[in-house]
Amino acid sequence: MPKGLKILAMFMLFCLSAASWATAAEDEAAKVTDTPQLEEIVVTATRTEKGVESAPGSVSVVNQKEIEKRSIQTIDDALNTLPGVFDRRSTGLVDPIANIQLRGMPGSQRTLLLLDGIAINDPFSGGQRDLLGVAPEDVDRIEVVRGPFSSLYGGYAMGGVVNVLTKMPEKREITLKTGYGSGMPGTDGLENLMRFYGSYGDKFLNNKLTTFISYGYRQTDGFATDFNLASKAPPAGVTGWSQTQSATGSTRYLVGDKGDREWMDDTLNLKAKYDFTETTNLSLSFTRTTNQYQYDDQHTYLRDSSGNSVWSYSGVTESSFLAGKYGREAILSSAKFETEFSPLKVKVTAGMLDWLKAWNTVPGSGATVSGGAGTMTETPLQAYNSEIQFTLPLMDRHILTFGATIRHSDVDDIQHNLTDWRDKDSEIDLIYEAAGKDIGYSLFMQDEIKIFDPLTLYLGFREDWWETYDGYANSVGVAGYPMNFSSRSADYFSPKASLVYKPFEKTTLRSSVGQAFRPPTIYELYGTFTGSYGTIYKSNPNLEPETTTSWDFGVEQKLWKGSKIGVTYFENYIKNLIYSSATDSTMAVYEQHNAGKATSKGVELSVEQNFSNWLKLFGTFTYTDSEITENHAAPASVGKEMTDNPEFMYSFGAYLSWKRFSGSFIGRYVGKRYSTDTNIDTVDGVFGSYDPFFVADLKISYAFTPLTSLSLSVNNILNEEYYMYRREPGTTWFLE
């Protein structure tokens, strides 16, 4: 029996045992820990405050208490036990790019990510990057709303919306945390992991002014994530190598690694809120996050007959052992003003995302450990968001939410030669540049209609007008460049309807149907360049937006005190799937296309049992059947699974709060995924593969006083060895 199933069976036995003795213990625990249970409030599903049980669509909330009890290293870690959510951050903490996918929608660009309601998907690739470096202690809650939500939020919200909401203090508070950890002996865990966090929050001016400041810093010496696999065997007399495979089954030879990937990041967060009256306030926020990784000494495993290191042979160069550096500094600043002209509520928000620095270096083909030429790519960008929203109750049975938004982005992608690949400041001549801008305007409206007390209907729509312009690409010295692209525009209508029906006090039925879209990114529109081996990667300035039509139906049932179960079935139908493929059999030119159609269908299941406030047991299961149904650019992909989509996922765990002790145990399984559209990468356990895996994490905290506590976390306690293209970290402990 696989390790994950064994632990799941043990956990189920524990749950059954716990249920038998927990009832008796609950009464005593309640004397110490029980507090009135308040329904959790969400804002993302409707743009207004709504209880989770009344919200349309499938909604999950991860609150600060659960985050504090878990052994998580990044904010997106907190989502990896939710049904319908796949969070892929390769190499864990030392990967700067998160990839949150909802309901089989591949790629992070099809999930809208918000920080305090401000969109932070980067407009270059649509990805989810730096601001997930926000310290977990700064988070009040994370709301995940599955399903198409372009009717309220516009582009990127094809699979759903993730909204990270940061906290404001209710009173004076000072928090200091520091910790150290490392890989367990004999494992490839995160070595020398260090962390510091400090924050101060207070209220001034008769509690009208609330302020909060925090700073977090992390670093680790990492572990070896990237290996050097050669396609040609070393010559006779050279030892130290081993034979392995590629993910597609081709014979490869393991000859070395590129060194341990070292990592650091830090985040500064400033917030202030002033309450002019009970209904009028102004909030300001500023978040700056930086992160950087580099590799320490590279390793060749090859030795000649005299025991000397071998760095090259026919078909293998020393540069193949090398890896570059990466760095980024990003700022998100925002302002929000709220007021009320009873009964009308008004909210105005504005935000700016600015990549002050965004760079990565790559060693050239002739580079060596001691130097040589390379390249550096920089991607400065700015994205601006502004919005006005009105909420108006009408005739006791309607709540009307409507408003308008403007979004604008400006992106450059610039590449220079380096005289020394190890020094990013040794840049010389420009060799490539791509640039572009886009702007979008929209109007949205949603009507919440109480048909009768147990039945509520939500009707919404949004009209988006999108334009892209100033598109430009230049591969310096290559025939046909520079290229200037004409501006173009498109518009899209996004309707949605949802029903929430509560036939009984403990039963909630939900169903929704809607359409969503995603406009092409600047990279997809204008990122044309010629690779070092002459391969041309062509953008397509005529790309149309991707669209999806989706529906779901779910039921949530409370069984007895503290227990509930939820089941949801969903279907997504994607059209105009944006896809990059070779234009002919020579594979000399790749081009972006609106090439296909795809579907994803599945079931999400969650169960939960709360014993007062001291013990929570939970389990989730997700089945997703995703398939490419049409693709004129690559017909061999038709009928295959969409890339990076696990068919099965499950998780289970427990949260504990008992007197001075608190903590959690979490186990989760993620099934096989494919990186190729034809699903030919079937070999697991090798560099470049995307393996099925089961990992278990543990955290225990003890409060010495109401103000002082000590915690021990152990991640991947079973030391599961697996790859998500790169090798994933082994068992790592952390004392804080």
Side-chain angles (χ1 to χ4, degrees):
M1 180 184 294
K3 286 188 291 186
L5 293 180
K6 288 181 181 178
I7 292 185
L8 176 59
M10 293 168 60
F11 182 78
M12 293 176 65
L13 289 173
F14 168 72
C15 293
L16 293 173
S17 301
S20 65
W21 53 260
T23 303
E26 185 176 352
D27 294 336
E28 182 176 347
K31 298 176 184 177
V32 180
T33 61
D34 202 13
T35 58
Q37 297 296 305
L38 301 176
E39 183 182 6
E40 240 166 345
I41 300 297
V42 296
V43 297
T44 310
T46 60
R47 286 181 171 264
T48 59
E49 291 190 350
K50 185 69 57 179
V52 171
E53 292 184 7
S54 304
S58 178
V59 181
S60 296
V61 179
V62 181
N63 59 44
Q64 174 61 50
K65 290 182 179 179
E66 292 179 348
I67 293 173
E68 182 67 26
K69 291 174 184 175
R70 282 190 58 183
S71 175
I72 66 171
Q73 296 171 339
T74 60
I75 291 176
D76 45 305
D77 283 346
L79 309 179
N80 58 28
T81 61
L82 301 180
V85 180
F86 173 48
D87 171 43
R88 175 177 65 82
R89 186 188 282 260
S90 178
T91 65
L93 176 64
V94 297
D95 188 342
I97 303 175
N99 192 328
I100 303 170
Q101 300 174 190
L102 303 180
R103 289 189 168 174
M105 288 288 185
S108 57
Q109 70 272 28
R110 297 178 181 93
T111 297
L112 178 63
L113 181 62
L114 307 174
L115 183 65
D116 291 323
I118 303 295
I120 59 174
N121 294 70
D122 80 71
F124 178 62
S125 67
Q128 305 157 349
R129 296 185 182 232
D130 309 277
L131 292 169
L132 283 175
V134 170
E137 289 82 2
D138 288 347
V139 176
D140 178 66
R141 67 187 188 276
I142 306 172
E143 300 178 357
V144 178
V145 187
R146 304 167 192 83
F149 269 86
S150 287
S151 62
L152 287 178
Y153 294 102
Y156 299 118
M158 296 178 71
V161 181
V162 176
N163 193 4
V164 179
L165 299 164
T166 58
K167 69 180 182 180
M168 288 293 279
E170 297 296 326
K171 58 183 179 180
R172 177 178 296 172
E173 63 173 46
I174 300 173
T175 302
L176 293 174
K177 286 187 173 185
T178 187
Y180 176 83
S182 199
M184 287 288 194
T187 72
D188 291 304
L190 295 170
E191 296 297 327
N192 296 321
L193 174 60
M194 292 178 281
R195 182 170 185 264
F196 170 80
Y197 172 84
S199 68
Y200 172 72
D202 212 338
K203 286 180 173 287
F204 304 95
L205 303 178
N206 296 321
N207 291 332
K208 288 183 175 292
L209 176 64
T210 305
T211 61
F212 182 76
I213 178 172
S214 71
Y215 175 77
Y217 175 85
R218 297 175 298 186
Q219 74 171 49
T220 176
D221 291 340
F223 64 106
T225 62
D226 294 72
F227 295 89
N228 191 357
L229 299 185
S231 57
K232 187 175 182 179
V238 174
T239 59
W241 55 274
S242 58
Q243 184 172 320
T244 181
Q245 291 179 291
S246 70
T248 57
S250 300
T251 299
R252 293 289 184 267
Y253 303 92
L254 178 61
V255 298
D257 66 64
K258 301 187 179 184
D260 292 349
R261 184 189 277 201
E262 302 170 338
W263 165 265
M264 67 75 62
D265 72 350
D266 69 343
T267 301
L268 174 68
N269 183 26
L270 304 173
K271 296 184 71 176
K273 179 182 178 183
Y274 187 80
D275 295 305
F276 297 95
T277 67
E278 290 186 0
T279 59
T280 303
N281 63 76
L282 174 66
S283 300
L284 303 173
S285 72
F286 173 90
T287 301
R288 181 199 63 85
T289 181
T290 65
N291 48 64
Q292 180 174 320
Y293 70 70
Q294 61 186 15
Y295 294 79
D296 73 353
D297 295 339
Q298 301 80 18
H299 304 105
T300 176
Y301 304 158
L302 305 179
R303 299 293 183 268
D304 63 18
S305 57
S306 300
N308 299 314
S309 298
V310 176
W311 290 94
S312 64
Y313 60 90
S314 178
V316 172
T317 63
E318 188 169 339
S319 65
S320 64
F321 291 88
L322 309 179
K325 302 178 182 179
Y326 164 99
R328 202 170 303 269
E329 179 180 356
I331 287 177
L332 179 68
S333 53
S334 65
K336 179 173 67 174
F337 177 75
E338 295 178 293
T339 191
E340 183 175 329
F341 305 98
S342 185
L344 179 69
K345 294 182 179 180
V346 182
K347 180 168 67 174
V348 181
T349 60
M352 180 185 73
L353 174 64
D354 190 352
W355 286 9
L356 300 177
K357 298 177 182 178
W359 57 270
N360 67 279
T361 62
V362 178
S365 59
T368 67
V369 171
S370 55
T375 59
M376 181 176 71
T377 301
E378 298 176 277
T379 313
L381 64 81
Q382 295 82 39
Y384 305 90
N385 297 269
S386 58
E387 177 178 283
I388 185 168
Q389 175 183 314
F390 303 92
T391 304
L392 179 65
L394 293 173
M395 300 179 293
D396 296 329
R397 290 193 174 272
H398 295 259
I399 300 177
L400 195 63
T401 301
F402 58 97
T405 66
I406 301 176
R407 294 179 181 174
H408 169 64
S409 59
D410 185 349
V411 180
D412 274 308
D413 188 36
I414 308 165
Q415 189 174 112
H416 286 85
N417 278 322
L418 299 175
T419 58
D420 185 346
W421 70 271
R422 301 169 302 171
D423 180 10
K424 71 180 183 65
D425 294 322
S426 68
E427 66 181 25
I428 45 174
D429 49 305
L430 174 72
I431 56 175
Y432 168 75
E433 182 179 11
K437 300 175 183 178
D438 64 11
I439 191 167
Y441 308 90
S442 64
L443 297 173
F444 64 89
M445 185 181 73
Q446 176 183 264
D447 190 8
E448 177 184 338
I449 308 167
K450 187 173 285 296
I451 298 176
F452 48 88
D453 285 344
L455 181 63
T456 304
L457 171 66
Y458 295 83
L459 294 176
F461 70 86
R462 177 174 173 132
E463 183 71 25
D464 283 88
W465 295 270
W466 168 79
E467 181 182 6
T468 179
Y469 57 99
D470 288 353
Y472 172 80
N474 185 20
S475 284
V476 178
V478 178
Y481 293 93
M483 296 180 177
N484 290 283
F485 303 103
S486 300
S487 62
R488 55 181 295 267
S489 60
D491 61 89
Y492 194 75
F493 179 68
S494 306
K496 185 168 185 180
S498 301
L499 276 173
V500 180
Y501 180 46
K502 295 178 67 68
F504 311 105
E505 181 182 356
K506 295 184 178 182
T507 304
T508 304
L509 304 176
R510 295 183 180 88
S511 184
S512 63
V513 60
Q515 292 182 335
F517 80 105
R518 180 185 74 87
T521 64
I522 298 297
Y523 171 74
E524 292 164 335
L525 289 166
Y526 306 127
T528 294
F529 66 98
T530 300
S532 56
Y533 296 101
T535 302
I536 299 173
Y537 298 89
K538 296 181 66 175
S539 60
N540 186 345
N542 298 311
L543 289 172
E544 298 293 332
E546 296 179 329
T547 65
T548 182
T549 301
S550 308
W551 70 274
D552 62 25
F553 175 79
V555 58
E556 183 177 289
Q557 179 67 51
K558 295 181 179 179
L559 303 175
W560 49 80
K561 184 177 180 181
S563 70
K564 64 180 178 181
I565 183 170
V567 181
T568 301
Y569 176 79
F570 64 87
E571 293 188 357
N572 302 307
Y573 296 89
I574 309 169
K575 294 182 179 180
N576 281 336
L577 185 68
I578 296 176
Y579 190 90
S580 179
S581 63
T583 58
D584 57 38
S585 60
T586 66
M587 303 184 73
V589 178
Y590 284 78
E591 187 173 9
Q592 302 277 359
H593 303 273
N594 284 114
K597 298 179 181 179
T599 64
S600 67
K601 306 175 183 179
V603 177
E604 301 160 348
L605 170 67
S606 63
V607 294
E608 181 180 308
Q609 175 67 61
N610 284 279
F611 300 106
S612 189
N613 279 338
W614 68 280
L615 179 63
K616 174 183 174 180
L617 307 176
F618 76 91
T620 68
F621 173 82
T622 303
Y623 167 75
T624 306
D625 177 21
S626 66
E627 180 182 343
I628 296 176
T629 57
E630 179 181 307
N631 190 348
H632 66 78
S637 68
V638 175
K640 302 297 192 297
E641 292 185 28
M642 286 192 285
T643 57
D644 208 17
N645 264 306
E647 186 175 15
F648 293 100
M649 296 186 293
Y650 66 77
S651 65
F652 55 88
Y655 294 96
L656 172 70
S657 294
W658 177 257
K659 296 184 179 179
R660 295 179 179 232
F661 289 95
S662 63
S664 65
F665 173 81
I666 306 292
R668 62 189 183 94
Y669 171 83
V670 173
K672 174 67 179 176
R673 289 149 292 137
Y674 299 97
S675 63
T676 59
D677 55 8
T678 51
N679 300 171
I680 61 173
D681 49 324
T682 58
V683 178
D684 295 330
V686 297
F687 183 67
S689 65
Y690 288 81
D691 301 343
F693 64 88
F694 175 85
V695 293
D697 303 328
L698 174 71
K699 181 177 181 179
I700 295 294
S701 300
Y702 180 79
F704 294 96
T705 73
L707 299 178
T708 307
S709 65
L710 181 71
S711 68
L712 173 65
S713 304
V714 184
N715 283 18
N716 193 3
I717 60 178
L718 301 176
N719 195 34
E720 177 88 347
E721 297 181 10
Y722 65 104
Y723 289 80
M724 284 200 284
Y725 187 82
R726 297 178 172 89
R727 182 163 61 176
E728 295 302 297
T731 305
T732 303
W733 61 270
F734 189 73
L735 190 67
E736 186 170 56

